[in-house]
């Protein structure tokens, strides 16, 4: 059990790192650096060594998949089944996001990709904690609907990324004038609902972290408008704080 608990935490850490790297890929303009060829190119290791974050992102995602398969085979239970399924969906939706960026699929696929990626992180973190399947189901339900409303925030945030295809500005949002701005406005409304839910639940640490996240989100917004193709490290930091918020929510449910 100790080994599987360690592997659960290890897998969740790998999933978290993959999510943050996804933010860095967006932040430094590597989204289509390998085109829509997926998952590999013949020289992906060479590109990774040279510092292509998309190549590193794909290699790390492969390691996540291999560890997930190992856990499924040697610790077969409902949580490892859900974890493996979420890894598969994350991979397939990762391919879809390339076509979103290329303008061949609608932006919602980017939103679903973010949900799948965070589900992978959550499932294996809960496995590390030794959670039962019922606890996993309880958290996921709370993430979909209020009081947490977390998944909708993640979904709309990913949709904004898909709409701007990592190269368009959001623009000054006073009264939304296009799809990107409407998605950004809805994302903001979802965040407000999330903040209110945390206050009502008296989840003070997640609340403080979310306020920090809002500040970083505004920095991302300004960075995107200043340099839409390379908004910088703020995007990766935005993902990192989101992961910490998820961890704090999990710990509050124990």
């Amino acid at each position: 059990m100790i080994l599987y608990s360690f592997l659960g935490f290890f897998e969740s850490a790998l999933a978290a790192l993959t999510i943050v790297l996804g933010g860095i890929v967006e932040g430094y303009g590597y989204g289509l650096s390998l085109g829509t060829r997926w998952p590999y190119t013949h020289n992906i290791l060479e590109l990774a060594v040279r510092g292509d974050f998309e190549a590193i992102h794909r290699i790390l995602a492969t390691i996540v998949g291999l560890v997930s398969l190992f856990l499924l085979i040697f610790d077969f239970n409902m949580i490892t089944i859900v974890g493996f399924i979420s890894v598969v969906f994350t991979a397939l939706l990762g391919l879809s996001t390339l076509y979103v960026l290329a303008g061949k699929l609608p932006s919602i696929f980017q939103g679903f990709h973010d949900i799948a990626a965070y589900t992978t992180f959550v499932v294996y973190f809960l496995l590390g904690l030794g959670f039962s399947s019922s606890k996993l189901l309880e958290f996921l339900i709370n993430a979909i609907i209020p009081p947490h409303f977390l998944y909708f925030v993640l979904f709309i945030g990913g949709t904004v990324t898909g709409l701007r295809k990592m190269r368009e500005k959001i623009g000054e949002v006073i009264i939304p004038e296009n799809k990107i701005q409407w998605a950004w406005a809805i994302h903001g409304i979802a965040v407000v609902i999330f903040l209110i839910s945390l206050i009502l639940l008296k989840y003070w640490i997640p609340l403080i972290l979310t306020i920090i996240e809002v500040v970083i989100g505004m920095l991302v917004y300004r960075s995107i408008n200043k340099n839409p193709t390379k908004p910088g490290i703020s995007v990766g930091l935005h993902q990192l704080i989101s992961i910490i918020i998820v961890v704090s929510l999990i710990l509050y449910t124990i």
Side-chain angles (χ1 to χ4, degrees), residues 135-173:
K135 273 288 188 180
L136 170 63
L137 181 62
E138 177 186 347
F139 182 86
L140 293 180
I141 290 174
N142 285 337
I144 294 169
I145 60 175
H148 292 165
F149 210 55
L150 177 64
Y151 270 7
F152 189 68
V153 176
L154 294 173
F155 173 76
I156 298 299
T159 301
V160 171
T161 301
L163 282 168
R164 72 178 204 86
K165 297 178 175 59
M166 297 188 188
R167 61 175 181 266
E168 302 290 338
K169 291 183 179 181
I170 295 172
E172 298 297 327
V173 183

Side-chain angles (χ1 to χ4, degrees), residues 69-133:
L69 180 60
F70 176 87
L71 283 166
L72 179 68
I73 294 172
F74 292 99
D75 188 24
F76 190 83
N77 58 61
M78 183 55 66
I79 292 183
T80 56
I81 292 171
V82 173
F84 184 75
I85 292 172
S86 69
V87 168
V88 171
F89 271 96
T90 303
L92 293 175
L93 289 165
L95 170 61
S96 299
T97 60
L98 298 176
Y99 287 95
V100 171
L101 298 180
K104 297 178 180 180
L105 280 177
S107 59
I108 59 171
F109 282 92
Q110 179 86 40
F112 286 125
H113 175 261
D114 284 12
I115 289 177
Y118 274 88
T119 298
T120 299
F121 166 74
V122 166
V123 169
Y124 289 106
F125 190 81
L126 294 179
L127 178 65
L129 290 173
F131 267 44
S132 63
S133 301

